[in-house]
C-alpha cells in the first residue's frame, strides 16, 4: 500500500557482472518487489526481451504513485530506466474531489516499454480509457500506427501520440483539404485549407474556404479531414 503520498522504492540485488539482462531476470526482480510491497499483479515482460547490463542493484518503484506500472531503474554510470506495466496492479490513491465517473475516452496505449526505432506491431498496442481532457495528438486507430517507427523511448501503458511516430504527412500546411461533417447519418463535405500539417489520426486546424471559419478536425486520409465532435 502507498500511504501519505510517499513512494516506496525497493532495491533488488543482481550479480555485478557486465552481462546483458533478459526479460526473465527483470521479471523476477519486479515480482519480488511486488511481493515485498504486499502488492498483487504480474509484470508484463517478454522473457526473451533484452535489457542493458547494470552494475548496480535495480530499483523498482511504483510509477506515478500506483502499481499499475513500475519504474525499473539502473543507477550505475550510464544507467537506464524502463516503465513496465503490471497486469492487475493497484491504481494510485484517488485525489480528493476526483470521482469514478470522471469523463473518459478510449486511446491507444503501449502494452510494453519500447525503445526508439521500434517498428510498431499489433501486439505492441491495446485500447484503454484515459481522461477525456487528456491533451495531445492521440493516435486513435491501430491502422495509423502499425508499421511505423517510434521516434522516442516510450513506457508501458503510455498513450501513443502522433508526435511519437516518424512523420507520415497526409495533409500539408497551406494545402487543400476536404472537410467532412457527419450530421445524423448525413455526410456533408466542404473545401478547406490546412493551417498546419497532419498525420493520419492527428488533430489539426483548417479553414473552411466558404465561411472562413477555423475548424478543429482529425486527419482521415490524404488531404481528407473530419470535423471533431462538439469542437469547432
Amino acid at each position: 500500500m502507498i500511504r501519505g503520498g510517499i513512494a516506496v522504492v525497493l532495491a533488488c540485488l543482481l550479480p555485478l557482472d557486465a552481462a546483458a539482462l533478459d526479460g526473465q531476470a527483470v521479471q523476477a526482480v519486479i515480482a519480488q518487489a511486488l511481493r515485498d510491497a504486499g502488492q498483487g499483479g504480474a509484470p508484463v515482460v517478454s522473457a526473451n526481451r533484452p535489457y542493458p547490463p547494470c552494475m548496480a542493484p535495480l530499483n523498482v518503484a511504483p510509477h506515478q504513485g500506483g502499481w499499475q506500472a513500475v519504474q525499473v531503474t539502473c543507477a550505475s554510470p550510464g544507467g537506464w530506466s524502463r516503465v513496465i506495466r503490471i497486469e492487475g496492479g493497484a491504481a494510485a490513491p484517488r485525489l480528493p474531489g476526483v470521482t469514478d465517473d470522471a469523463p473518459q475516452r478510449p486511446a491507444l496505449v503501449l502494452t510494453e516499454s519500447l525503445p526508439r526505432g521500434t517498428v510498431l506491431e499489433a501486439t505492441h498496442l491495446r485500447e484503454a480509457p484515459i481522461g477525456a481532457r487528456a491533451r495531445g495528438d492521440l493516435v486513435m486507430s491501430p491502422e495509423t500506427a502499425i508499421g511505423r517507427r517510434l521516434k522516442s523511448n516510450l513506457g508501458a501503458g503510455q498513450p501513443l501520440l502522433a508526435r511519437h511516430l516518424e512523420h507520415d504527412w497526409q495533409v500539408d500546411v497551406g494545402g487543400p483539404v476536404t472537410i467532412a461533417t457527419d450530421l445524423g447519418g448525413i455526410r456533408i463535405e466542404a473545401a478547406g485549407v490546412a493551417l498546419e500539417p497532419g498525420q493520419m489520426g492527428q488533430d489539426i486546424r483548417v479553414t473552411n474556404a466558404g465561411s472562413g471559419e477555423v475548424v478543429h478536425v482529425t486527419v482521415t486520409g490524404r488531404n481528407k479531414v473530419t470535423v471533431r465532435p462538439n469542437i469547432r
Side-chain angles (χ1 to χ4, degrees):
M1 298 287 292
I2 304 172
R3 291 189 173 92
I6 301 176
V8 179
V9 179
L10 302 162
C12 298
L13 292 176
L14 291 176
L16 295 181
D17 55 33
L21 301 170
D22 61 17
Q24 189 172 1
V26 172
Q27 186 180 57
V29 171
I30 297 173
Q32 183 61 55
L34 291 172
R35 287 193 295 270
D36 291 345
Q39 296 293 322
V44 181
V45 180
S46 172
N48 298 320
R49 179 179 175 82
Y51 289 85
C54 185
M55 299 296 291
L58 287 181
N59 292 330
V60 179
H63 180 60
Q64 296 182 347
W67 291 93
Q68 291 178 319
V70 295
Q71 186 92 30
V72 180
T73 304
C74 172
S76 62
W80 49 269
S81 181
R82 300 286 189 275
V83 175
I84 306 295
R85 184 169 66 90
I86 304 299
E87 188 72 38
R94 189 171 299 280
L95 297 176
V98 179
T99 62
D100 288 329
D101 58 356
Q104 293 187 320
R105 59 172 169 166
L108 289 180
V109 301
L110 297 186
T111 59
E112 59 180 297
S113 297
L114 296 173
R116 180 179 59 186
T118 298
V119 177
L120 290 177
E121 302 175 2
T123 56
H124 294 148
L125 303 169
R126 67 182 179 90
E127 190 176 272
I130 65 170
R133 295 183 179 180
R135 297 181 178 180
D137 45 348
L138 291 167
V139 177
M140 307 301 293
S141 170
E143 290 74 17
T144 65
I146 294 172
R148 295 175 64 184
R149 195 178 302 273
L150 290 179
K151 293 173 60 179
S152 58
N153 300 329
L154 297 180
Q158 184 170 348
L160 184 65
L161 305 181
R163 65 172 175 266
H164 293 151
L165 304 172
E166 288 188 348
H167 291 157
D168 181 21
W169 300 123
Q170 296 294 305
V171 172
D172 299 318
V173 61
V177 294
T178 298
I179 306 171
T181 305
D182 291 322
L183 298 174
I186 301 175
R187 184 178 178 87
I188 300 174
E189 294 186 347
V193 177
L195 297 178
E196 51 195 329
Q199 303 175 75
M200 185 72 76
Q202 185 174 359
D203 295 334
I204 63 171
R205 295 172 302 125
V206 301
T207 300
N208 185 305
S211 66
E213 179 185 11
V214 175
V215 185
H216 293 264
V217 298
T218 300
V219 178
T220 56
R222 183 63 183 170
N223 296 328
K224 295 181 179 181
V225 298
T226 298
V227 176
R228 295 168 57 190
N230 303 321
I231 298 179
R232 285 295 186 96

